[in-house]
Amino acid sequence: SEQTAMIDGATYRLIVYRSSALGAHQAKSVDRAIAKARESLTRAAQALTKQTFHCAHDAEVAAQAFHARAEYRWFSQSPVRITSRLERVSTGRGRPGKDAPTQTVWSVAATVGPVDETPMC
């Protein structure tokens, strides 16, 4: 395939060709990179889900940092749920009593979306 393009005010001729042998090797490399990225993101999502935050803003920042990871470029954006719950505050040793004061904690439920099939250009 031959095309022309303007780059910094200069016209360039762009030629694209495909090698069948090189394409198969690159496809396997890309598949391995995607599998490795999915594993890494799954571990990070599990760790993020176990974490608790003291305010909604901190949970939102953690969710944005999860989506900004470099490995995430292979996957489509999946929705992130931020939920709050009340927890009893332990004032001493042992299990908190029924009348112990409570505080609101926030958590992030992150998942890894499916592989994004759109070409990255």
Side-chain angles (χ1 to χ4, degrees):
S1 169
E2 183 176 340
Q3 299 174 0
T4 59
M6 293 287 290
I7 301 175
D8 292 331
T11 303
Y12 290 92
R13 189 176 106 194
L14 307 174
I15 299 173
V16 178
Y17 68 95
R18 171 173 277 170
S19 167
S20 60
L22 185 59
H25 178 68
Q26 286 179 339
K28 286 176 93 174
S29 295
V30 168
D31 288 343
R32 278 194 304 266
I34 289 173
K36 189 175 180 180
R38 179 177 292 282
E39 182 181 328
S40 173
L41 282 175
T42 302
R43 280 193 310 254
Q46 290 172 349
L48 182 61
T49 302
K50 290 179 183 179
Q51 243 181 334
T52 58
F53 302 93
H54 292 287
C55 68
H57 177 71
D58 289 346
E60 183 67 34
V61 168
Q64 289 174 357
F66 176 74
H67 279 296
R69 291 176 61 109
E71 298 97 353
Y72 217 96
R73 71 180 183 272
W74 300 108
F75 304 98
S76 59
Q77 293 284 332
S78 61
V80 175
R81 284 186 304 127
I82 298 175
T83 58
S84 65
R85 68 178 187 276
L86 291 176
E87 278 189 356
R88 291 193 180 107
V89 178
S90 178
T91 56
R93 291 175 26 180
R95 183 175 174 174
K98 290 183 180 180
D99 59 344
T102 59
Q103 70 178 6
T104 303
V105 293
W106 301 84
S107 61
V108 177
T111 58
V112 180
V115 175
D116 190 7
E117 298 294 332
T118 58
M120 295 186 328
C121 294

